[in-house]
Amino acid sequence: MTELLARLGQSGIIFLRHLGRATTLLLHILSSVGEVLRRPRLLLEQLFSVGVLTILIIGVSGLFVGMVLSLQGYYILSQFAAEATLGVMVAASLVRELGPVVTALLFAGRAGSALTAEIGLMKATEQLSGLEMMAVDPVRRVLTPRFVAGLISMPLLAALFSALGVAGGWFVGVGLLGVDDGAWWGQMQARIDWNEDLLNGVIKSLVFGFACVWIAVFQGYNCLPTSAGVSRATTRTVVHSSLAVLALDFALTALMFN
Amino acid sequence: MSLTVGTQGGGAPDAAAPGSVPLPGDQPPLVRIRNLHFSRGEREIFSGLDIDIPRGGITAIMGPSGTGKTTLLKLIGGQLRPDRGTVEVDGLNVHALSRQELYRLRMRMGMLFQSGALLTDLSVFENVAFPLREHTALPEPLLRKLVLLKLEAVGLRGARDLMPSELSGGMARRVALARAIALDPMMIMYDEPFTGQDPISLGVLVKLIRQLNDAARLTSILVSHDVEETNAIADLVYVISNGKVVESGAPAKLAASGSEWTRQFMQGLPDGPVPFHYPAQPLEQDLFGEKS
Ligand SMILES: Nc1ncnc2c1ncn2[C@@H]1O[C@H](COP(=O)(O)OP(=O)(O)OP(=O)(O)O)[C@@H](O)[C@H]1O
Ligand SMILES: [Mg+2]
């Protein structure tokens, strides 16, 4: 029993120590954001590798998720003769929940893990040490541009996901199942609220993006500088990001929609 | 900072008047290490190390593998923090500096990493240009000339467009050397520059280190196991083992040393007071005894 308590306490201490380190790193990153914005070339490169290269998987997933939503929704709504509201249902679920959440999960798997692996390998091959000895702050030069790029990409990717999801849903609902085109768009326009739905979705994706890149960058910077260390850090990035996104989603939803 | 092509060093502010050859002893050493203690976990790596690196010379640090030579360079560069003791570079206590002051000091130090530590997503040219781009606002044509001259010095001007993954280990280390001298530092730390070099580039490298040191009036710290090459160019040699300086002096003096330890190391004899093995229990006990 005491042993259990001791072990619990120990993992608590380790957790707090990591949280402290991650927070220090975050402050360091935030303090150099201004400088990165003044050197757009660094940021553009990272926007490409973090954001643009993630577009394909996000787009394809959005399309399919929208199509499935439409199929499932039609099956249920048609039992109440409410097919006309299918567009609202698809759009609301995408914009409020699925867009931000699924995008964040995919983002953690595609971009987050790549960020961790890249930074971890730079550490393992002494590139970060080398930067330090050249009087270049590795946090500023390597971490901050990636962090900012992730922060900017995430809401845009989520918007893309939702937009393509609606398109996929329309294709299935209107194109294949015969829902009225006017009803699909009309109901959607009337019922989807700017603040309630769209803005809240954007806030969610910003928060998720922040959590995902923070975790990814920290895991890379803090990993053991060996191949095993990098691989463990990459796994941790995906696991921790996914859990963080789901937990944050619950908290934010409770705050926003009750 | 002076950025004249090639030879003129950044130079220490309080260095002797130009023209006079700085002699060890007539001015404070560039690096002064006192009572340095450092451990990695349980293992004590330095226990009371005292080292003086005189200005303008080549000082070699020798010692068996794993004695902490790389660790010592990282302590001098301020990347590691000692448990006790001080490291002063050019009169500044490295571990009492603010981050900004430390970075300013590092701009005057070059370090050649054992692994090269080139940035893998940049070409050879861009790697050498990197410190110049970060710290100066040189116009592109001048920067290009400067980089090509540095690459020429290490014999790799023709390899400027290769990526680091396309270089051999020895080539990578030479590119890293070109990068380390890009900002014309006052001091260069070489971590094992000779390993992985063929006899020709080895000879060139030895000459280059000597030339850089004399022409640019740098201070060089050279970490190496290569007794022969090191003795050929070093002005002063420190031999360290078990966390302490075992012996120091001019190479000739060490070669004639009465100490059995130094003689063993300098002549590469397998038997003697220097253990070849990392500390362990006796072999028989490990193989046949119970698990300890
Ligand atoms: N990151 C680290 N964590 C723990 N111990 C380390 C670490 N790096 C080095 N060590 C230990 O510190 C000691 C000194 O290492 P260092 O790399 O300074 O040796 P070295 O003298 O440069 O050896 P070599 O000549 O082989 O390069 C070694 O015994 C090593 O086990
Ligand atoms: Mg070493």
Side-chain angles (χ1 to χ4, degrees):
Chain A
M1 185 66 204
T2 43
E3 196 186 330
L4 187 76
L5 273 179
R7 213 174 296 160
L8 216 69
Q10 199 171 22
S11 27
I13 289 172
I14 291 176
F15 174 76
L16 284 179
R17 192 184 307 144
H18 275 102
L19 195 64
R21 263 193 230 150
T23 310
T24 318
L25 180 67
L26 180 65
L27 293 178
H28 193 160
I29 289 176
L30 292 179
S31 74
S32 55
V33 166
E35 194 178 326
V36 168
L37 296 180
R38 257 177 281 129
R39 286 178 71 177
R41 227 179 62 92
L42 284 182
L43 184 59
L44 281 180
E45 276 168 22
Q46 292 312 318
L47 276 173
F48 181 78
S49 67
V50 173
V52 175
L53 294 181
T54 318
I55 285 182
L56 187 65
I57 184 172
I58 298 284
V60 172
S61 313
L63 210 59
F64 278 107
V65 167
M67 284 159 63
V68 170
L69 265 180
S70 202
L71 270 179
Q72 295 278 14
Y74 182 83
Y75 173 70
I76 293 175
L77 291 175
S78 64
Q79 292 177 349
F80 307 102
E83 301 96 280
T85 57
L86 183 62
V88 182
M89 194 220 93
V90 169
S93 357
L94 280 169
V95 173
R96 285 180 168 200
E97 282 298 329
L98 292 171
V101 172
V102 178
T103 304
L105 295 178
L106 291 170
F107 182 84
R110 165 64 184 75
S113 58
L115 278 180
T116 304
E118 191 187 11
I119 296 170
L121 276 173
M122 286 183 83
K123 183 176 181 184
T125 53
E126 293 198 300
Q127 294 182 55
L128 296 185
S129 283
L131 286 178
E132 268 185 34
M133 284 309 298
M134 287 189 280
V136 174
D137 183 355
V139 173
R140 238 164 236 224
R141 182 65 175 61
V142 177
L143 270 58
T144 310
R146 287 165 171 77
F147 184 86
V148 176
L151 221 53
I152 295 176
S153 306
M154 188 56 202
L156 296 176
L157 290 170
L160 181 76
F161 184 97
S162 298
L164 283 171
V166 169
W170 177 86
F171 173 71
V172 169
V174 177
L176 301 182
L177 301 173
V179 174
D180 181 54
D181 193 28
W184 168 279
W185 293 115
Q187 292 270 0
M188 196 188 293
Q189 276 179 358
R191 299 281 187 80
I192 298 290
D193 184 63
W194 182 261
N195 285 339
E196 181 87 338
D197 299 312
L198 286 180
L199 194 65
N200 280 342
V202 171
I203 292 176
K204 272 190 181 178
S205 64
L206 270 173
V207 173
F208 297 163
F210 183 86
C212 285
V213 268
W214 183 19
I215 291 173
V217 162
F218 171 70
Q219 289 294 351
Y221 193 64
N222 199 47
C223 76
L224 274 182
T226 59
S227 14
V230 175
S231 103
R232 267 203 303 275
T234 313
T235 312
R236 270 203 303 268
T237 292
V238 176
V239 174
H240 291 192
S241 303
S242 308
L243 291 177
V245 164
L246 295 173
L248 282 170
D249 185 45
F250 178 74
L252 286 175
T253 309
L255 275 176
M256 288 169 173
F257 299 107
N258 76 358
Chain B
M1 171 178 325
S2 87
L3 275 169
T4 347
V5 177
T7 54
Q8 201 63 52
D14 55 344
S20 74
V21 179
L23 292 171
D26 64 353
Q27 51 182 325
L30 183 63
V31 180
R32 187 203 302 266
I33 298 174
R34 285 291 173 272
N35 192 30
L36 185 73
H37 288 254
F38 182 78
S39 347
R40 292 265 198 200
E42 293 290 288
R43 196 167 137 73
E44 189 160 53
I45 299 194
F46 297 121
S47 42
L49 196 73
D50 293 315
I51 286 184
D52 281 337
I53 312 271
R55 291 172 194 270
I58 299 182
T59 304
I61 314 267
M62 300 216 265
S65 188
T67 35
K69 302 181 296 295
T70 302
T71 309
L72 179 64
L73 294 186
K74 290 193 168 169
L75 282 160
I76 296 176
Q79 294 201 298
L80 295 172
R81 188 163 275 283
D83 301 334
R84 228 164 353 120
T86 56
V87 178
E88 273 177 27
V89 177
D90 201 16
L92 302 169
N93 181 347
V94 174
H95 300 96
L97 295 177
S98 73
R99 189 184 198 84
Q100 216 172 12
E101 291 166 325
L102 180 61
Y103 274 38
R104 214 169 309 135
L105 178 64
R106 280 181 185 160
M107 277 204 232
R108 300 193 284 143
M109 302 182 185
M111 174 147 174
L112 180 66
F113 281 78
Q114 207 162 356
S115 59
L118 295 177
L119 295 165
T120 42
D121 55 346
L122 298 180
S123 68
V124 165
F125 182 93
E126 285 301 323
N127 260 289
V128 180
F130 184 85
L132 295 166
R133 287 197 200 286
E134 289 289 323
H135 296 305
T136 70
L138 291 178
E140 193 63 29
L142 179 57
L143 183 129
R144 180 168 174 277
K145 279 191 196 116
L146 212 54
V147 171
L148 290 184
L149 280 175
K150 302 291 177 192
L151 280 173
E152 174 74 14
V154 296
L156 290 175
R157 188 164 45 88
R160 73 186 96 158
D161 294 324
L162 297 181
M163 294 304 282
S165 56
E166 298 168 301
L167 301 176
S168 72
M171 285 163 83
R173 201 140 338 111
R174 281 192 277 157
V175 175
L177 175 56
R179 186 178 69 174
I181 57 176
L183 283 175
D184 292 315
M186 62 168 177
M187 159 177 136
I188 303 196
M189 299 187 270
Y190 301 93
D191 196 353
E192 311 274 3
F194 303 132
T195 31
Q197 301 294 346
D198 61 70
I200 299 171
S201 41
L202 186 87
V204 174
L205 211 62
V206 169
K207 254 211 323 260
L208 183 67
I209 291 178
R210 187 75 247 182
Q211 256 171 13
L212 276 172
N213 191 81
D214 298 348
R217 314 219 331 165
L218 294 167
T219 301
S220 313
I221 305 179
L222 176 66
V223 158
S224 179
H225 322 274
D226 292 80
V227 178
E228 206 175 311
E229 280 74 30
T230 310
N231 280 345
I233 57 167
D235 300 312
L236 177 63
V237 178
Y238 280 93
V239 182
I240 57 176
S241 173
N242 289 327
K244 286 208 170 67
V245 173
V246 182
E247 197 157 2
S248 65
K253 181 190 147 207
L254 289 203
S257 164
S259 150
E260 212 180 325
W261 198 104
T262 313
R263 215 169 41 231
Q264 186 205 344
F265 185 75
M266 292 301 218
Q267 299 174 358
L269 305 174
D271 286 316
V274 187
F276 164 65
H277 296 280
Y278 194 89
Q281 51 184 323
L283 181 63
E284 300 85 58
Q285 197 181 330
D286 231 358
L287 293 181
F288 306 113
E290 270 114 61
K291 253 179 116 72
S292 54

